[in-house]
DNA sequence: GTGAAAGCGCTAACAA
DNA sequence: TTGTTAGCGCTTTCAC
């Protein structure tokens, strides 16, 4: 591989002139410019990104932390982030945690090791203080994860309110025994707790029955959804919920699918409301009623915010498109 | 940020000794080891990955090229690749091309710039010679993309045969006018051409009608599937196909969904066979008959192969799990 | 066992 | 406008 030194020699110039050319510095004569260009062509030269990074102390790579890329919500998020980042000359390192704290710590280390110059966390397992510890190594933006500490930049929607409205929608439709699923832990702050607050507010405000057996924690996949139905079917008939709020369309479709397999009817035996509005949900055998997340806007705003932070600039998040929306279909 | 120099000073040793410790060299006294460990702890030291890379000339990052991460086939592939890579101490840079040659070229440049030490191409737009040009900068593995040139390492399934069997399955079921979708160009070699060969072989062998109007090229998404139905409905009744082979489950579900919206029945008015067996396909209103791809095995084998190549070792691909499989459901 | 020193490929003062 | 030079943080001879 040719180096900047080879190019300088070939062009009969110094490395600094070549470096200036590479970095679009002013004050280079047209004559030298063309000699450098020619030398680069002859030697098939490309600057070593690694060397540039070491010297200039910036990596032009951002890291994106997701729990599972196979969750369509995350793949659409990564899609939006990647497009925006590439537009701005950045690359995207993708890191999956599978909800494991240890894995997330390793991702945060990437910031310390200067592998990435910034981080977008689309899922978070660590507590706030742990994340704050890493902020000194580079900007960290939380995407779709709300924390009360406003010193951590975050791009969020009002999931508390949307969940509240989703639960009220069930209540208005006449359902009285509402089950609830979360990806995190019900009592503990952290993953999913914003939505849980909305759920509790709606239940309390409307004086609905609350039953601990109707709460499902740490559920994520289609298969988790199926398991919920199996647990539900153990319950005595008078203790069965008549509706369930699922924390993702994957969980919701697992629930519906298992219910149908067991010969039940949806929404007659159980109304199901999902979260995300993933592309396939309108085509399911029971088209899914769900809460749409503005996934593209979330990705774009997070990336804009992070890149501004990397450049030490201010960025005003555009809230207009960060709205959740209830999509009424046939599962409720 | 503390550097190796700071650690050396803190421990009262030379940088070379610290470097040796970092690289698990033999011949360091236990005494010094603990002094170094302590100094690292005190200074909260982490080696700069960039500097290590520059000096040791290896990047510990692999690049993965996909056309669109939102296609579940690719997100599951990336999932498998990422897990395997992380296990081996590598990171994954994700790059989307959206089937654009220009974007793919930029990805290949990452290899030349030494940003990545190897590349897995899960989609390819460039011609073989262009890819071969980049092999001198690092190993490139094709994943699920077959080319005749065996000097390019590739991990593939027998898509020609699976497509052949898929078409024969339609014929056995009594369908006589079979339409065909491909992500690439029908006549041209390249993306999708292996499957096309299987299609042509089955049609010819069984003396089936072939109609150019039943061929759909460069289709990828659900919305592309819907458009196909719109084109189909322009055809005079006696020229309409009675079955269609879709190149992905996304295209297949778009076709089915649009047909149903238009009041047609599946498979009565049109039998549809998909490709991939994505998780949601069994839960669609018309459960999809499709060809399952061994996506996890493809990801794992590609990664094993690439990492071996990076280390200059041989790797024998394990073909056992690289089998395609027809999943019979209700859309045929 | 340990240290001194050269240098990976590049950028950016500082001089000229 | 251009060149000289000192590093960025690390690894790796080579000497002791």
């Amino acid at each position: 591989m040719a180096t900047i030194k080879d190019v300088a020699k070939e062009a009969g110039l110094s490395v600094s002139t070549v470096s200036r050319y590479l970095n679009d510095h002013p004050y280079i004569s047209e004559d030298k410019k063309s000699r450098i260009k020619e030398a680069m062509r002859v030697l098939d030269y490309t600057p070593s990104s690694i060397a540039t990074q070491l010297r200039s102390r910036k990596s032009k790579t951002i890291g994106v932390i997701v729990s599972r890329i196979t969750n369509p919500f995350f793949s659409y998020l990564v899609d939006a982030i990647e497009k925006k980042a590439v537009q701005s000359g950045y690359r995207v390192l993708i890191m999956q945690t599978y909800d494991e704290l240890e894995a997330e710590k390793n991702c945060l280390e990437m910031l310390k090791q200067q592998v990435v110059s910034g981080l977008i966390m689309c899922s978070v397992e660590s507590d706030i203080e742990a994340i704050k510890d890493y902020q000194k190594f580079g900007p960290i933006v939380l995407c779709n994860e709300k924390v009360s500490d406003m010193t951590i930049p975050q791009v969020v929607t009002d999931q508390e309110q949307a969940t509240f409205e989703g639960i009220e929608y069930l209540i208005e439709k006449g359902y009285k025994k509402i089950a609830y699923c979360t990806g995190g832990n019900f009592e503990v702050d952290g993953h999913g707790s914003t939505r849980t607050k909305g759920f509790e507010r709606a239940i309390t405000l409307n004086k609905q029955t609350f039953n601990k057996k109707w709460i499902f924690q740490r559920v994520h996949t289609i298969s988790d959804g199926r398991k919920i139905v199996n647990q539900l079917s153990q319950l005595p008939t008078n203790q069965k919920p008549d509706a369930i709020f699922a924390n993702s369309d994957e969980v919701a479709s697992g629930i519906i699918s298992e219910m149908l397999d067991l010969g039940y009817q949806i929404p007659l035996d159980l109304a199901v409301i999902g979260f995300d509005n993933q592309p396939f949900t309108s085509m399911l055998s029971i088209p899914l009623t769900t809460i749409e997340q503005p996934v593209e806007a979330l990705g774009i705003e997070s990336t804009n915010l992070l890149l501004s932070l990397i450049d030490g600039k201010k960025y005003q998040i555009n809230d207009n498109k960060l709205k959740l929306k209830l999509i009424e279909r046939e599962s409720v």
Side-chain angles (χ1 to χ4, degrees), chain A:
Chain A
M1 282 290 296
T3 72
I4 196 172
K5 233 172 161 173
D6 301 323
V7 175
K9 195 182 289 171
E10 175 75 23
L13 294 166
S14 73
V15 287
S16 35
T17 308
V18 178
S19 172
R20 284 192 192 96
Y21 173 81
L22 257 22
N23 295 283
D24 291 321
H25 270 257
Y27 315 132
I28 311 180
S29 63
E30 286 307 320
D31 161 48
K32 316 267 148 121
K33 273 189 193 169
S34 58
R35 270 161 65 190
I36 293 170
K37 216 185 220 159
E38 175 61 11
M40 285 173 49
R41 198 192 56 74
V42 170
L43 297 169
D44 192 26
Y45 168 78
T46 306
S48 155
S49 165
I50 296 295
T52 310
Q53 284 175 51
L54 176 61
R55 184 58 233 229
S56 63
R57 339 212 79 251
K58 42 184 178 256
S59 89
K60 284 284 176 188
T61 303
I62 62 172
V64 178
I65 301 180
V66 298
S67 58
R68 300 178 300 118
I69 185 74
T70 54
N71 178 333
F73 173 71
F74 289 122
S75 68
Y76 275 83
L77 210 45
V78 169
D79 174 55
I81 292 170
E82 198 265 357
K83 278 190 216 158
K84 195 81 210 170
V86 167
Q87 272 176 28
S88 312
Y90 278 79
R91 299 174 291 253
V92 174
L93 207 63
I94 182 149
M95 312 186 257
Q96 303 193 92
T97 64
Y98 272 80
D99 305 301
E100 308 251 334
L101 183 60
E102 192 56 33
E104 187 170 298
K105 283 266 175 290
N106 292 335
C107 299
L108 287 164
E109 282 294 312
M110 295 289 125
L111 199 58
K112 190 173 174 192
Q113 291 172 24
Q114 302 162 62
V115 174
V116 296
S117 42
L119 222 41
I120 298 179
M121 300 185 72
C122 306
S123 68
V124 359
E125 295 297 321
S126 316
D127 53 38
I128 303 175
E129 292 309 315
I131 293 173
K132 288 177 82 172
D133 274 352
Y134 280 92
Q135 285 185 301
K136 58 174 172 287
F137 304 119
I140 300 175
V141 167
L142 303 190
C143 175
N144 209 35
E145 291 279 352
K146 199 178 211 154
V147 295
S148 47
D149 191 321
M150 295 311 288
T151 65
I152 305 184
Q154 41 196 290
V155 176
V156 291
T157 54
D158 194 347
Q159 302 198 60
E160 199 271 354
Q161 180 63 16
T163 305
F164 175 81
E165 288 168 11
I167 300 292
E168 286 220 316
Y169 174 76
L170 291 173
I171 295 169
E172 279 162 27
K173 286 273 187 177
Y175 298 101
K176 301 201 179 307
K177 301 188 280 179
I178 302 172
Y180 177 80
C181 311
T182 174
N185 297 308
F186 190 72
E187 291 96 354
V188 187
D189 249 32
H191 189 58
S193 65
T194 321
R195 294 186 195 173
T196 300
K197 286 199 190 76
F199 165 72
E200 289 177 322
R201 183 157 65 92
I203 293 295
T204 311
L205 199 71
N206 294 279
K207 304 194 177 53
Q208 294 291 301
T209 328
F210 172 85
N211 187 331
K212 264 198 180 166
K213 289 188 179 137
W214 300 343
I215 304 298
F216 298 90
Q217 306 179 69
R218 287 178 298 280
V219 291
H220 304 280
T221 62
I222 293 175
S223 125
D224 289 338
R226 292 186 184 278
K227 282 178 202 147
I228 288 171
V229 173
N230 296 331
Q231 284 179 253
L232 247 29
S233 60
Q234 311 288 318
L235 260 33
T237 314
N238 63 344
Q239 277 192 39
K240 285 189 185 172
D242 53 10
I244 187 162
F245 179 97
N247 57 313
S248 78
D249 288 347
E250 290 183 288
V251 171
S253 43
I255 291 171
I256 292 177
S257 183
E258 188 70 13
M259 284 292 286
L260 296 176
D261 286 356
L262 260 39
Y264 291 105
Q265 285 181 278
I266 303 288
L268 196 66
D269 295 310
L270 185 71
V272 182
I273 184 165
F275 215 107
D276 289 347
N277 193 29
Q278 290 172 8
F280 64 89
T281 51
S282 63
M283 308 185 296
L284 296 175
S285 52
I286 307 290
L288 187 66
T289 294
T290 187
I291 295 169
E292 180 176 271
Q293 301 211 64
V295 54
E296 190 181 356
L298 280 165
I300 291 175
E301 292 300 314
S302 302
T303 312
N304 282 341
L305 176 56
L306 183 71
L307 296 184
S308 300
L309 256 21
I310 290 173
D311 289 345
K313 289 186 299 201
K314 284 261 167 272
Y315 179 73
Q316 182 57 49
I317 295 166
N318 179 356
D319 285 294
N320 289 342
K321 291 183 174 164
L322 295 174
K323 305 292 182 209
L324 266 5
K325 186 178 155 197
L326 181 72
I327 309 285
E328 296 184 59
R329 286 197 280 246
E330 292 158 40
S331 64
V332 171

